Amino acid sequence: MTEQGLVPRLSTNREDREARSYDFSRMRRQAPDAVAMPESAGEVARIVRMAARDGIRLAVRGGGHSQGGQCLTDGDLVLDTMRLDRVQPLGRELVRAQGGALWGSVVDALHGTGRLPRVLADIAEVTVGGTLSAGGLGSTSHRYGMQIGQVEQLDVVTGSGERVRCSSTRNSGLFDAVRGGQGQFGIITEAWIRLRRAGKRIRQYELRYYDVDRFARDLEQVVDDGRFDHLRAESRSHDKRFILRAGVEYDEMIDHDRVLHGLGYDRMAIVWDTTEVGHAQMFPKTGFASTNFHPWRDWFMPWETLRTLLLQPWLDPQWVPRSPRSWTGVYPIRTDALDAPLFMHPTGERMLSYSILAVLDDHARADELAGRLREIGRTLVDLGGKSYLSGHVGYGRTDWEQHYGEAFETGLGWKEAFDPGRVFRAQGMPFGEGP
């Protein structure tokens, strides 16, 4: 696979290959023949050119947080981006981060600046390039939308090994293809990410409800009036309750009564403050043990389906374990900044992210739940939803054409333009083989 001096960090070591034989879901194991660990965009480009020349299938891996095997390959080569981890603040408006940088590291690099990315991932260990290739959402998405809508420009290595800088006004086709393109058109090696002002502290609330209508009404109200800087919701079907997790950033003081005025929650379970504003909304790594299986699916749903999502008649509580070994979540998301043509979502000024995640220690049960999630997916699509492609959707050609609509042909054309050798063939994705 290598020429002298071409790929200086190509490992066939068993431990290196085994460490990259699973993704976050751990639902399948596929071991590569070798692992490339570049430390610069130039090295990435040389690896891609080698793969294109020799007909090698190339799987791109960052934090390995896909749930459908997209970062795996059975044989051939995994390109691991984790050594592309440099982060550089650029004043008050932007931060420049390499594609393998963890979002937690981006927060750390901005410590003391009073600035944060407009949309942060909920897990510190996922990478900038990975979430921008998928879409990326978080607890501030009710204000700022998806991460792919908050990028100024990108450096990308295409399937021919060309290094290209792109933005909405420069090489815009590539910019549109790779944001939400699931790694099918190029590797994001660097991103210029927009920032916002951050408070010095954050106060977080956990508000519990037992009535679906009161919960839905409150969620709609706080999205409308903007009183919270952070929002995410959870439905616990075993306990027949709903949880609103909300946060307010502040500098000196906060009017507690004003923040909660008019809300009809049954119980305030948690109120706590911290100065770790950036990390406060990130789930701890300890919640996702590497020995467990994580069947996980996400969908983007029309805003008007909120109450149906909360009642979730399609989900039998016996299919998933009780919290905290399962999580069924809802995030409000603005859509006005979503300009990536291959990121498919419902129309309207707002939408909802609906997620089902289970943590299981039995592979057979996890596989059964994964099948049920695919069935649920068909129901949600019939309600006007779109699958988030971070998970395994199990789509065939007809399904993909329905998912992308008119953008399907656009995607085929971009594959031909940016990856004519079909180097990037992420598993389960539609544009691997081209037209």
Side-chain angles (χ1 to χ4, degrees):
M1 280 192 179
T2 185
E3 296 176 358
Q4 185 67 29
L6 180 61
V7 188
R9 293 167 185 86
L10 188 66
S11 172
T12 57
N13 179 277
R14 182 175 178 273
E15 288 75 16
D16 286 337
R17 293 187 296 114
E18 183 65 22
R20 294 158 180 87
S21 62
Y22 294 95
D23 66 358
F24 173 77
S25 72
R26 290 188 65 82
M27 299 297 292
R28 64 183 70 186
R29 178 188 180 278
Q30 292 185 322
D33 289 337
V35 178
M37 294 170 278
E39 294 187 356
S40 69
E43 289 184 7
V44 173
R46 292 197 295 272
I47 293 165
V48 173
R49 287 197 295 269
M50 176 200 70
R53 181 198 66 209
D54 296 344
I56 296 170
R57 181 188 179 97
L58 187 64
V60 183
R61 183 185 184 94
H65 204 76
S66 67
Q67 299 107 46
Q70 296 95 322
C71 65
L72 306 179
T73 180
D74 191 11
D76 290 313
L77 181 63
V78 164
L79 189 153
D80 190 312
T81 65
M82 294 295 283
R83 294 185 180 180
L84 298 171
D85 60 356
R86 290 185 289 281
V87 181
Q88 178 187 6
L90 300 175
R92 297 181 59 80
E93 301 302 322
L94 295 170
V95 62
R96 180 177 181 177
Q98 289 189 303
L102 303 178
W103 280 103
S105 298
V106 175
V107 171
D108 293 340
L110 291 167
H111 183 73
T113 66
R115 313 297 286 181
L116 283 172
R118 296 181 181 181
V119 184
L120 280 169
D122 283 348
I123 299 175
E125 291 78 24
V126 296
T127 63
V128 168
T131 61
L132 293 180
S133 295
L137 67 144
S139 62
T140 58
S141 287
H142 67 295
R143 287 189 175 175
Y144 299 106
M146 303 289 290
Q147 288 179 337
I148 53 175
Q150 299 298 339
V151 180
E152 194 73 19
Q153 63 181 4
L154 298 169
D155 275 354
V156 176
V157 173
T158 69
S160 59
E162 182 183 4
R163 294 173 60 184
V164 181
R165 183 163 295 182
C166 56
S167 68
S168 61
T169 59
R170 177 183 182 185
N171 300 310
S172 59
L174 183 61
F175 188 64
D176 286 342
V178 297
R179 291 179 302 138
Q182 305 297 322
Q184 299 173 91
F185 309 96
I187 301 173
I188 296 173
T189 56
E190 201 154 20
W192 284 253
I193 302 160
R194 299 184 187 117
L195 301 176
R196 65 172 177 86
R197 182 189 177 279
K200 295 178 181 178
R201 300 181 64 87
I202 180 172
R203 175 168 293 180
Q204 300 189 90
Y205 300 89
E206 182 177 300
L207 308 177
R208 297 187 178 181
Y209 297 74
Y210 296 96
D211 180 85
V212 66
D213 287 324
R214 276 192 288 112
F215 178 80
R217 185 178 63 247
D218 279 4
L219 181 59
E220 291 167 339
Q221 177 180 334
V222 298
V223 170
D224 282 339
D225 63 31
R227 70 178 74 182
F228 292 113
D229 300 304
H230 299 265
L231 282 175
R232 60 172 171 246
E234 180 183 356
S235 172
R236 292 188 178 176
S237 55
H238 294 94
D239 304 319
K240 294 182 172 56
R241 68 185 179 189
F242 308 94
I243 297 172
L244 180 62
R245 291 189 173 90
V248 179
E249 297 178 18
Y250 65 100
D251 291 336
E252 302 299 333
M253 296 182 64
I254 185 171
D255 187 338
H256 181 80
D257 292 333
R258 182 188 63 80
V259 167
L260 298 177
H261 177 72
L263 299 183
Y265 55 88
D266 293 290
R267 179 187 172 200
M268 189 185 330
I270 297 175
V271 181
W272 64 287
D273 288 63
T274 179
T275 59
E276 295 296 325
V277 177
H279 285 284
Q281 296 294 321
M282 292 180 170
F283 291 107
K285 187 176 182 180
T286 54
F288 304 106
S290 61
T291 56
N292 289 324
F293 305 102
H294 305 107
W296 188 353
R297 285 292 306 277
D298 302 84
W299 300 268
F300 296 110
M301 302 299 298
W303 182 256
E304 58 268 21
T305 64
L306 172 60
R307 284 165 175 78
T308 304
L309 293 176
L310 295 173
L311 292 171
Q312 50 195 12
W314 47 77
L315 183 61
D316 186 331
Q318 302 307 312
W319 293 348
V320 295
R322 285 182 175 272
S323 178
R325 294 184 66 84
S326 70
W327 190 81
T328 304
V330 175
Y331 285 71
I333 302 172
R334 285 184 62 171
T335 62
D336 55 350
L338 282 177
D339 59 351
L342 294 184
F343 179 80
M344 310 312 297
H345 61 87
T347 58
E349 295 179 359
R350 296 172 182 158
M351 65 179 179
L352 296 158
S353 167
Y354 174 70
S355 307
I356 302 173
L357 165 65
V359 180
L360 299 168
D361 54 14
D362 180 84
H363 187 275
R365 188 180 175 199
D367 193 55
E368 178 185 5
L369 177 56
R372 294 189 186 277
L373 293 180
R374 287 191 290 273
E375 294 174 8
I376 290 171
R378 287 189 283 271
T379 299
L380 296 177
V381 169
D382 288 342
L383 289 172
K386 292 289 186 180
S387 291
Y388 191 18
L389 302 181
S390 60
H392 178 59
V393 297
Y395 283 178
R397 170 85 181 211
T398 301
D399 300 309
W400 285 121
E401 290 177 346
Q402 179 184 355
H403 176 81
Y404 282 106
E406 295 179 357
F408 187 75
E409 293 297 324
T410 301
L412 292 177
W414 280 339
K415 187 66 174 181
E416 190 68 27
F418 303 128
D419 185 22
R422 282 39 176 183
V423 174
F424 307 125
R425 286 174 280 173
Q427 293 190 50
M429 293 291 106
F431 302 121
E433 301 305 322

